[in-house]
Amino acid sequence: MPSATGTTSTKTTRRPIRTLVLVTVAGAAATAASAGLGLGSGPTKTAQADPGDTVLPIGSSQLVQSEDLVSIEVPLDTAKVILNRNDDFSSCLGEGNPWTAVLQGADKPVTVSWTSRRNANQGLTESIAQAKTPAEARSYAKTLVAEAIGGCQGSKSDWDFHYGKTTSSPVGTGTATWALSYTGDSKRADGGVIVFSKGNNFGIMHVTGTWAPAGQTMESLAKVAVGRLA
């Protein structure tokens, strides 16, 4: 994967999940079906699908859904989706590092922000995108692990938060890597980050707040995130 832009030496401050504007694109959810048309006086021929063409367009249906959160008892109830988001997306990377700068050559992602009407300190933001090949998707995911997790691991005095050790696991035909987040010198996790990929698709999820036990919640979110990818 192309290298990411460098991080600054200034203090990295975790930013709260932003309020995103719901964006709709006319016809974006439509499914295209094609049929061959006969030419001249010959018989009409029906177009046949290429058996190797199994990549589906990425879309909001491949983001984590409300029923997924209910199934793992994560009480978030308000979602806002934005298409082609390309602003800062990682607390670890800091300001001035948008998606296409960190993941050079990648398409802009589809993003959802989940929040809670009962607890303003709980939420998650998930961004997913599609690569040209599974190998490219894995490469983008590797960069996200290195830059958006590894860059903020370990306890350092000039950060107001840090990530703990990473855990990686296969999930069906996909894979996920996640780490818990800690504020200051606290030993209690208050969120985390997950990087995942499956086939041509990949993504990242930032979690704010915890639902005990934190490690189990992150693993469950990792599984549903990978499961949603086509």
Side-chain angles (χ1 to χ4, degrees):
M1 173 179 299
S3 60
T5 57
T7 58
T8 64
S9 59
T10 58
K11 177 179 177 181
T12 301
T13 302
R14 182 191 306 180
R15 304 185 301 283
I17 294 175
R18 301 183 180 189
T19 300
L20 303 177
V21 179
L22 178 62
V23 178
T24 58
V25 178
T31 300
S34 61
L37 299 178
L39 299 178
S41 59
T44 299
K45 296 182 179 180
T46 302
Q48 299 297 316
D50 180 353
D53 186 11
T54 59
V55 178
L56 301 176
I58 198 89
S60 59
S61 64
Q62 289 159 272
L63 294 164
V64 169
Q65 304 292 311
S66 58
E67 57 265 34
D68 301 322
L69 299 178
V70 169
S71 70
I72 59 175
E73 300 182 357
V74 172
L76 301 177
D77 51 30
T78 304
K80 293 185 179 181
V81 175
I82 188 169
L83 307 180
N84 299 319
R85 179 190 180 196
N86 194 36
D87 53 3
D88 299 332
F89 69 97
S90 169
S91 297
C92 179
L93 290 167
E95 299 287 347
N97 289 286
W99 182 271
T100 55
V102 177
L103 304 171
Q104 295 178 15
D107 290 340
K108 296 174 184 177
V110 181
T111 299
V112 63
S113 176
W114 279 98
T115 56
S116 170
R117 286 175 288 185
R118 294 185 177 182
N119 190 334
N121 295 319
Q122 294 180 335
L124 68 81
T125 297
E126 179 190 20
S127 295
I128 59 173
Q130 189 167 76
K132 297 178 181 64
T133 65
E136 186 177 66
R138 291 191 296 270
S139 181
Y140 282 136
K142 184 177 180 180
T143 292
L144 288 174
V145 170
E147 300 293 334
I149 299 180
C152 284
Q153 283 183 308
S155 179
K156 293 190 176 183
S157 59
D158 57 343
W159 294 345
D160 66 349
F161 80 100
H162 66 276
Y163 294 128
K165 66 178 183 179
T166 54
T167 299
S168 297
S169 176
V171 182
T173 59
T175 186
T177 297
W178 63 90
L180 297 177
S181 177
Y182 302 87
T183 298
D185 296 327
S186 174
K187 304 300 181 183
R188 179 183 175 85
D190 57 4
V193 61
I194 306 165
V195 173
F196 47 92
S197 66
K198 180 181 179 183
N200 288 50
N201 300 331
F202 67 98
I204 187 169
M205 178 186 294
H206 293 278
V207 181
T208 302
T210 57
W211 300 271
Q216 181 177 321
T217 297
M218 295 298 290
E219 181 177 4
S220 297
L221 284 169
K223 289 179 178 178
V224 297
V226 174
R228 275 286 169 182
L229 293 182

